Amino acid sequence: MEKKNKVTMSDIAREAGVSQATVSLILNNSRSIKLSEETRQRVISTALALGYKKMPAPHRDNGQEEIALLINAMPSYDPFVDALSEAREAAWRHDTLLTLYDYGDDAELAVRIIHQLSQRRCAGIIIASPVTQAIDFSVFAHQTELPVVLLNVYDRAFPLLPTFLPDDRANALQITRHLIDQGATRIAHIMGDHWMEACEMRLEGYRQALLQAGMPFDEQRVMATNWSLNETYQATLTLMKLPEPPDAIFCSSDWMTLGCYQALTELHLRIPQDILVAGYDDQRIADQMTPKLTSVQLPYIELGRMAVEYICSGEDAATRVRMAGRLKLRASTAV
């Protein structure tokens, strides 16, 4: 029996006499570019005639269900904004509206919002934070029959709760291993607060990379800070006064590297010629620093999409996702 080929957007575009980009826009219900209704109908009719299997549900003029994303603070610019943007787009592709509620870390307010959502056309609830952290989910448990998903937050007491997180340990291991591959032998780590488990996991990833490379872990090369530029600046000066100063510094956030850069400049040390520097979370500033900063891009786009699609697909299996990000190589570690 001859195997039937899968119908692609290219097939539809060729048959309908339009570009593949036009087919993609129409089949994803996009209204970002103005297209004639005749073109839309021709593409949809062609797709149906060819047996295209991924036809989206048409958007209704009103009455869409919503997915409520409850967040404990609204970031200004932060990599986590990518998760919100992708979650919104993923929801709309499923003919669902994403609504955001900033509950300001006030559990009582969050419970009140959840109670109201339970009385509306709500497909599910995403509880999120711009900072990867543990939460006490017990205050939300049994408050609604709606599906609940955690994004960038977690509660170990609820192991069956769908949870989507970046893998801080794997990301820190990536960065440290890259510095080792670049020839660094005395790598320092400037971390944030010890109370944050995300920081402890980054420290674990750093230690694991050293162990795998057969390199010793030196506590003198690990400096805890409160994430501030001033403390990072002071930590860098302290590190560079060691009898054997580091030849590479891994900071727990891109923001912190500003203080590190300042200290190294005052010491007349060149990046990367004299010392390598890497950050974490690939904020916008990473590509604007001099030299441009090597960092790891957190997978918030993927995690935001997965959280929404979990609800839209009606999944009910226990899911716990920890996803590593992408290492973005730039001039601060080029040797």
Side-chain angles (χ1 to χ4, degrees), residues 290-310:
T290 303
K292 294 183 178 183
L293 179 67
T294 290
S295 188
V296 65
Q297 183 182 64
L298 300 183
Y300 283 137
I301 290 175
E302 294 85 351
L303 293 172
R305 180 174 64 250
M306 291 169 68
V308 165
E309 291 183 344
Y310 182 93

Side-chain angles (χ1 to χ4, degrees), residues 6 20-21 84 141 146 151 165 177-178 184 241 251 316 323:
K6 182 174 69 173
Q20 184 176 339
L84 304 184
L146 294 170
L151 174 61
L165 297 165
R177 183 180 290 168
H178 165 66
K241 290 177 183 176
C251 293
D316 58 4
M323 182 176 289

Side-chain angles (χ1 to χ4, degrees), residues 107-319:
E108 183 180 353
L109 173 59
V111 169
R112 184 70 60 84
I113 294 169
I114 289 172
H115 285 169
Q116 291 200 16
L117 291 168
S118 297
Q119 302 170 32
R120 306 214 310 250
R121 286 177 54 81
C122 183
I125 296 170
I126 301 171
I127 298 176
S129 169
V131 177
T132 308
Q133 61 179 308
I135 63 168
D136 179 9
F137 183 75
S138 63
V139 297
F140 305 114
H142 313 300
Q143 297 290 343
T144 180
E145 296 298 319
L146 294 170
V148 177
V149 169
L150 302 186
L151 174 61
N152 212 34
V153 296
Y154 58 92
D155 187 338
R156 296 190 188 283
F158 291 82
L160 301 182
L161 197 62
T163 303
F164 299 88
L165 297 165
D167 193 332
D168 287 292
R169 183 188 291 108
N171 290 334
L173 187 147
Q174 274 193 83
I175 294 173
T176 309
R177 183 180 290 168
H178 165 66
L179 295 172
I180 294 170
D181 290 343
Q182 293 298 92
T185 58
R186 301 182 307 278
I187 303 169
H189 179 41
I190 302 179
M191 58 184 293
D193 292 307
H194 277 291
W195 63 266
M196 287 186 64
E197 185 174 342
C199 284
E200 290 297 316
M201 293 183 70
R202 292 171 202 181
L203 178 60
E204 287 182 24
Y206 161 78
R207 294 185 67 158
Q208 186 177 354
L210 296 179
L211 178 65
Q212 290 177 355
M215 299 171 67
F217 171 76
D218 186 344
E219 290 186 355
Q220 287 186 303
R221 294 192 185 127
V222 177
M223 304 289 294
T225 71
N226 65 356
W227 301 98
S228 73
L229 299 188
N230 184 58
E231 285 209 12
T232 305
Y233 166 82
Q234 295 295 338
T236 303
L237 294 179
T238 299
L239 287 167
M240 301 315 295
K241 290 177 183 176
L242 291 173
E244 290 187 302
D247 53 8
I249 298 177
F250 160 35
C251 293
S252 260
S253 82
D254 293 349
W255 172 252
M256 294 166 67
T257 61
L258 294 172
C260 179
Y261 269 44
Q262 181 184 355
L264 295 175
T265 298
E266 289 185 10
L267 294 171
H268 304 291
L269 294 171
R270 301 166 300 164
I271 307 169
Q273 293 89 340
D274 301 319
I275 186 167
L276 309 181
V277 178
Y280 190 98
D281 61 28
D282 199 40
Q283 295 189 29
R284 185 176 296 173
I285 59 171
D287 201 44
Q288 299 173 355
M289 296 172 68
T290 303
K292 294 183 178 183
L293 179 67
T294 290
S295 188
V296 65
Q297 183 182 64
L298 300 183
Y300 283 137
I301 290 175
E302 294 85 351
L303 293 172
R305 180 174 64 250
M306 291 169 68
V308 165
E309 291 183 344
Y310 182 93
I311 292 174
C312 290
S313 65
E315 289 283 351
D316 58 4
T319 299

